[in-house]
Amino acid sequence: DKVLTELIEPYELRVAKLREFLEDVKPSLRYDIVPLVDPYGPSVTDPDLQCLVVSEETHRGGEAVNKKRLENGLPELALHEILLMKDPDHSQNEEEKISSSSLRQRLLGTLLRPPRQDPTLPSRPYVIGLTGGTGSGKTAIAKLLGHLGAFLIDADKLGHAVYVPSGPAYEQVVAAFGAEILNEDGTINRKVLGAKVFGNQERLKSLTDIVWPEMARMVKEQIGEADAQG
Protein backbone atom coordinates (compact mmCIF):
# COMPACT_ATOMS: atom_id res chain seq x y z
CA ASP A 1 0.00 0.00 0.00
CA LYS A 2 2.95 2.40 0.21
CA VAL A 3 3.64 2.33 -3.56
CA LEU A 4 0.92 4.87 -4.57
CA THR A 5 1.22 3.97 -8.25
CA GLU A 6 -0.70 7.07 -9.40
CA LEU A 7 2.03 9.32 -7.98
CA ILE A 8 5.04 7.49 -9.47
CA GLU A 9 6.71 9.79 -12.03
CA PRO A 10 6.97 8.63 -15.68
CA TYR A 11 9.99 6.44 -16.47
CA GLU A 12 11.55 9.01 -18.82
CA LEU A 13 11.45 11.73 -16.15
CA ARG A 14 12.95 9.44 -13.50
CA VAL A 15 15.76 8.43 -15.89
CA ALA A 16 16.51 12.09 -16.67
CA LYS A 17 16.76 12.93 -12.95
CA LEU A 18 18.95 9.89 -12.28
CA ARG A 19 21.29 10.68 -15.20
CA GLU A 20 21.61 14.30 -14.05
CA PHE A 21 22.54 13.11 -10.55
CA LEU A 22 25.06 10.52 -11.78
CA GLU A 23 26.75 12.96 -14.16
CA ASP A 24 26.90 15.48 -11.33
CA VAL A 25 28.68 12.92 -9.15
CA LYS A 26 31.22 11.77 -11.75
CA PRO A 27 30.82 13.09 -15.31
CA SER A 28 33.86 11.12 -16.57
CA LEU A 29 32.02 7.80 -16.22
CA ARG A 30 29.65 6.40 -18.85
CA TYR A 31 26.20 5.46 -17.63
CA ASP A 32 23.92 2.96 -19.38
CA ILE A 33 20.43 3.10 -17.91
CA VAL A 34 18.11 0.28 -18.93
CA PRO A 35 14.45 -0.35 -17.99
CA LEU A 36 13.77 -3.45 -15.89
CA VAL A 37 10.91 -5.67 -17.01
CA ASP A 38 11.57 -8.33 -14.32
CA PRO A 39 13.22 -8.37 -10.87
CA TYR A 40 16.68 -9.23 -12.29
CA GLY A 41 17.12 -7.26 -15.51
CA PRO A 42 20.45 -7.73 -17.31
CA SER A 43 22.23 -8.61 -14.04
CA VAL A 44 21.70 -12.36 -14.63
CA THR A 45 22.51 -12.40 -18.37
CA ASP A 46 25.24 -9.79 -19.00
CA PRO A 47 28.70 -11.46 -19.01
CA ASP A 48 30.48 -8.09 -18.82
CA LEU A 49 29.09 -7.13 -15.40
CA GLN A 50 31.53 -7.54 -12.51
CA CYS A 51 29.94 -5.87 -9.48
CA LEU A 52 26.48 -5.26 -8.05
CA VAL A 53 25.86 -2.43 -5.59
CA VAL A 54 23.40 -3.45 -2.88
CA SER A 55 22.15 -1.99 0.39
CA GLU A 56 21.56 -3.67 3.74
CA GLU A 57 17.98 -4.42 2.77
CA THR A 58 18.71 -5.60 -0.81
CA HIS A 59 21.71 -7.83 0.01
CA ARG A 60 19.55 -10.97 -0.24
CA GLY A 61 18.44 -9.79 -3.70
CA GLY A 62 22.11 -9.60 -4.70
CA GLU A 63 22.62 -13.18 -3.52
CA ALA A 64 19.59 -14.23 -5.59
CA VAL A 65 21.17 -12.57 -8.64
CA ASN A 66 24.40 -14.54 -8.14
CA LYS A 67 22.45 -17.78 -7.80
CA LYS A 68 20.75 -17.07 -11.15
CA ARG A 69 24.10 -16.17 -12.77
CA LEU A 70 25.60 -19.49 -11.69
CA GLU A 71 22.57 -21.29 -13.13
CA ASN A 72 23.19 -19.38 -16.39
CA GLY A 73 26.88 -20.38 -16.45
CA LEU A 74 28.11 -16.87 -15.56
CA PRO A 75 30.60 -15.89 -12.82
CA GLU A 76 29.26 -14.43 -9.59
CA LEU A 77 29.25 -10.65 -9.16
CA ALA A 78 31.09 -8.92 -6.34
CA LEU A 79 28.44 -7.54 -3.98
CA HIS A 80 29.36 -4.05 -2.79
CA GLU A 81 27.13 -3.05 0.14
CA ILE A 82 26.41 0.61 0.83
CA LEU A 83 24.69 2.20 3.83
CA LEU A 84 21.30 3.83 3.31
CA MET A 85 20.94 7.55 3.99
CA LYS A 86 18.74 8.22 7.02
CA ASP A 87 15.97 10.79 6.69
CA PRO A 88 16.19 13.08 9.74
CA ASP A 89 12.76 14.55 8.99
CA HIS A 90 10.77 11.35 8.48
CA SER A 91 7.41 11.17 10.22
CA GLN A 92 6.11 8.27 12.29
CA ASN A 93 4.29 6.80 9.26
CA GLU A 94 7.27 7.10 6.90
CA GLU A 95 10.35 4.98 6.34
CA GLU A 96 13.50 5.79 8.30
CA LYS A 97 15.59 5.94 5.11
CA ILE A 98 15.33 8.60 2.42
CA SER A 99 12.69 7.03 0.23
CA SER A 100 10.58 7.84 -2.82
CA SER A 101 7.66 6.16 -1.02
CA SER A 102 7.87 8.78 1.74
CA LEU A 103 8.11 11.59 -0.83
CA ARG A 104 4.95 10.29 -2.54
CA GLN A 105 3.14 10.07 0.80
CA ARG A 106 3.92 13.76 1.38
CA LEU A 107 2.23 14.55 -1.93
CA LEU A 108 -1.08 13.08 -0.74
CA GLY A 109 -3.69 15.81 -0.61
CA THR A 110 -1.83 17.97 -3.17
CA LEU A 111 -4.08 19.17 -6.00
CA LEU A 112 -3.05 17.38 -9.18
CA ARG A 113 -5.24 19.66 -11.28
CA PRO A 114 -7.29 22.83 -10.55
CA PRO A 115 -10.77 22.26 -9.06
CA ARG A 116 -13.39 21.91 -11.80
CA GLN A 117 -16.03 24.62 -11.76
CA ASP A 118 -19.41 22.89 -11.95
CA PRO A 119 -22.33 25.33 -12.36
CA THR A 120 -24.77 22.65 -11.17
CA LEU A 121 -23.12 22.51 -7.73
CA PRO A 122 -24.35 25.03 -5.16
CA SER A 123 -21.63 27.25 -3.73
CA ARG A 124 -22.82 26.39 -0.21
CA PRO A 125 -23.18 24.43 1.88
CA TYR A 126 -20.28 22.41 0.46
CA VAL A 127 -20.69 18.83 1.69
CA ILE A 128 -17.79 16.34 1.79
CA GLY A 129 -18.57 12.68 2.53
CA LEU A 130 -15.84 10.61 4.18
CA THR A 131 -16.22 6.85 3.74
CA GLY A 132 -13.92 3.88 4.23
CA GLY A 133 -13.34 0.75 6.26
CA THR A 134 -12.10 0.54 9.84
CA GLY A 135 -8.64 2.07 10.17
CA SER A 136 -8.76 3.86 6.81
CA GLY A 137 -8.23 7.28 8.41
CA LYS A 138 -11.73 8.79 8.45
CA THR A 139 -11.34 10.16 12.00
CA ALA A 140 -7.91 11.66 11.29
CA ILE A 141 -9.11 13.40 8.11
CA ALA A 142 -12.28 14.62 9.88
CA LYS A 143 -10.12 16.18 12.63
CA LEU A 144 -7.95 17.93 10.01
CA LEU A 145 -11.05 19.31 8.27
CA GLY A 146 -12.46 20.35 11.66
CA HIS A 147 -9.27 22.32 12.41
CA LEU A 148 -9.77 24.07 9.07
CA GLY A 149 -13.23 25.17 10.19
CA ALA A 150 -15.45 22.42 8.79
CA PHE A 151 -18.67 21.51 10.60
CA LEU A 152 -18.40 17.79 11.40
CA ILE A 153 -21.34 15.39 11.22
CA ASP A 154 -20.53 11.94 12.61
CA ALA A 155 -22.85 9.40 10.96
CA ASP A 156 -21.76 6.73 13.47
CA LYS A 157 -23.06 8.87 16.33
CA LEU A 158 -26.31 9.53 14.47
CA GLY A 159 -26.58 5.77 13.88
CA HIS A 160 -26.53 5.27 17.65
CA ALA A 161 -28.88 8.20 18.27
CA VAL A 162 -31.69 6.79 16.12
CA TYR A 163 -31.91 3.72 18.41
CA VAL A 164 -32.24 5.45 21.80
CA PRO A 165 -35.74 5.34 23.39
CA SER A 166 -36.41 8.93 22.36
CA GLY A 167 -34.84 8.40 18.92
CA PRO A 168 -36.83 8.56 15.67
CA ALA A 169 -36.41 4.86 14.78
CA TYR A 170 -36.83 3.33 18.24
CA GLU A 171 -40.52 2.41 18.13
CA GLN A 172 -40.38 1.14 14.53
CA VAL A 173 -37.38 -1.08 15.27
CA VAL A 174 -38.99 -2.55 18.41
CA ALA A 175 -42.25 -3.14 16.52
CA ALA A 176 -40.39 -4.87 13.69
CA PHE A 177 -38.03 -7.04 15.76
CA GLY A 178 -39.86 -7.62 19.04
CA ALA A 179 -39.38 -6.80 22.72
CA GLU A 180 -36.65 -9.46 23.04
CA ILE A 181 -34.13 -6.96 21.60
CA LEU A 182 -34.63 -4.67 24.64
CA ASN A 183 -32.44 -4.42 27.74
CA GLU A 184 -34.07 -4.23 31.17
CA ASP A 185 -33.87 -0.42 31.06
CA GLY A 186 -35.79 -0.33 27.75
CA THR A 187 -32.79 0.49 25.56
CA ILE A 188 -32.17 -1.54 22.41
CA ASN A 189 -29.51 -4.22 22.81
CA ARG A 190 -27.57 -3.71 19.58
CA LYS A 191 -25.79 -7.07 19.92
CA VAL A 192 -29.07 -8.96 20.11
CA LEU A 193 -30.45 -6.91 17.22
CA GLY A 194 -27.28 -7.53 15.21
CA ALA A 195 -27.54 -11.27 15.76
CA LYS A 196 -31.08 -11.15 14.34
CA VAL A 197 -30.19 -9.32 11.12
CA PHE A 198 -26.62 -10.10 10.10
CA GLY A 199 -26.48 -13.07 7.77
CA ASN A 200 -30.15 -12.55 6.90
CA GLN A 201 -30.41 -10.16 3.95
CA GLU A 202 -34.18 -9.77 4.24
CA ARG A 203 -34.09 -8.80 7.92
CA LEU A 204 -31.08 -6.55 7.37
CA LYS A 205 -32.97 -4.69 4.63
CA SER A 206 -35.99 -4.35 6.94
CA LEU A 207 -33.70 -2.70 9.52
CA THR A 208 -31.90 -0.38 7.07
CA ASP A 209 -35.24 0.62 5.50
CA ILE A 210 -36.21 1.94 8.95
CA VAL A 211 -32.89 3.37 10.12
CA TRP A 212 -31.21 4.86 7.05
CA PRO A 213 -33.97 7.33 6.06
CA GLU A 214 -34.00 8.66 9.65
CA MET A 215 -30.21 9.01 9.63
CA ALA A 216 -30.38 10.82 6.27
CA ARG A 217 -33.00 13.20 7.65
CA MET A 218 -30.82 13.94 10.72
CA VAL A 219 -27.79 14.53 8.48
CA LYS A 220 -29.80 17.00 6.35
CA GLU A 221 -30.94 18.80 9.50
CA GLN A 222 -27.33 19.15 10.65
CA ILE A 223 -26.24 20.37 7.19
CA GLY A 224 -28.95 23.01 7.50
CA GLU A 225 -27.61 23.99 10.95
CA ALA A 226 -24.08 24.23 9.55
CA ASP A 227 -25.30 26.41 6.68
CA ALA A 228 -27.13 28.68 9.13
CA GLN A 229 -23.90 29.04 11.15
CA GLY A 230 -22.01 30.01 8.01
Side-chain angles (χ1 to χ4, degrees):
D1 2 333
K2 67 177 186 178
V3 174
L4 301 170
T5 311
E6 296 83 356
L7 295 179
I8 294 178
E9 292 177 328
Y11 172 77
E12 293 74 17
L13 180 57
R14 299 177 84 193
V15 166
K17 288 183 176 181
L18 176 60
R19 192 181 298 282
E20 183 183 15
F21 168 73
L22 293 172
E23 290 175 351
D24 233 11
V25 174
K26 196 161 187 180
S28 61
L29 287 183
R30 193 191 82 202
Y31 300 101
D32 291 328
I33 301 174
V34 295
L36 300 183
V37 293
D38 61 61
Y40 298 102
S43 65
V44 295
T45 55
D46 190 337
D48 295 328
L49 291 181
Q50 295 173 314
C51 173
L52 188 64
V53 180
V54 295
S55 68
E56 306 155 83
E57 60 181 32
T58 61
H59 197 104
R60 286 177 64 186
E63 291 171 349
V65 163
N66 275 336
K67 186 179 175 187
K68 281 276 188 186
R69 283 181 70 85
L70 290 174
E71 290 172 5
N72 292 339
L74 296 172
E76 289 187 333
L77 300 176
L79 299 182
H80 178 73
E81 187 176 305
I82 58 169
L83 295 173
L84 291 170
M85 296 270 300
K86 304 290 184 188
D87 184 352
D89 302 316
H90 76 279
S91 72
Q92 188 178 357
N93 299 325
E94 294 173 349
E95 295 181 300
E96 191 180 4
K97 64 179 181 180
I98 290 178
S99 157
S100 59
S101 299
S102 297
L103 296 177
R104 288 195 294 276
Q105 282 203 338
R106 291 169 199 170
L107 285 173
L108 286 175
T110 307
L111 283 177
L112 298 179
R113 60 181 69 86
R116 178 171 52 86
Q117 297 301 319
D118 187 340
T120 64
L121 289 176
S123 60
R124 54 175 292 187
Y126 199 88
V127 183
I128 300 170
L130 288 177
T131 68
T134 304
S136 60
K138 299 186 297 293
T139 303
I141 297 298
K143 281 181 182 174
L144 285 172
L145 290 170
H147 290 318
L148 293 171
F151 182 101
L152 298 181
I153 300 170
D154 189 330
D156 283 343
K157 288 180 181 174
L158 296 183
H160 286 278
V162 296
Y163 288 105
V164 299
S166 58
Y170 176 83
E171 290 185 7
Q172 292 181 73
V173 171
V174 174
F177 295 95
E180 63 266 29
I181 66 169
L182 297 178
N183 294 313
E184 288 183 8
D185 61 0
T187 57
I188 291 175
N189 186 317
R190 291 167 66 90
K191 282 189 178 177
V192 174
L193 178 60
K196 277 179 169 281
V197 299
F198 291 117
N200 185 317
Q201 288 298 317
E202 197 176 320
R203 283 185 174 181
L204 182 60
K205 186 176 185 309
S206 298
L207 179 63
T208 55
D209 283 350
I210 295 169
V211 172
W212 284 356
E214 295 298 340
M215 285 178 64
R217 185 183 55 76
M218 293 166 83
V219 167
K220 286 175 183 172
E221 281 178 5
Q222 291 204 10
I223 290 171
E225 284 177 33
D227 191 20
Q229 292 177 26

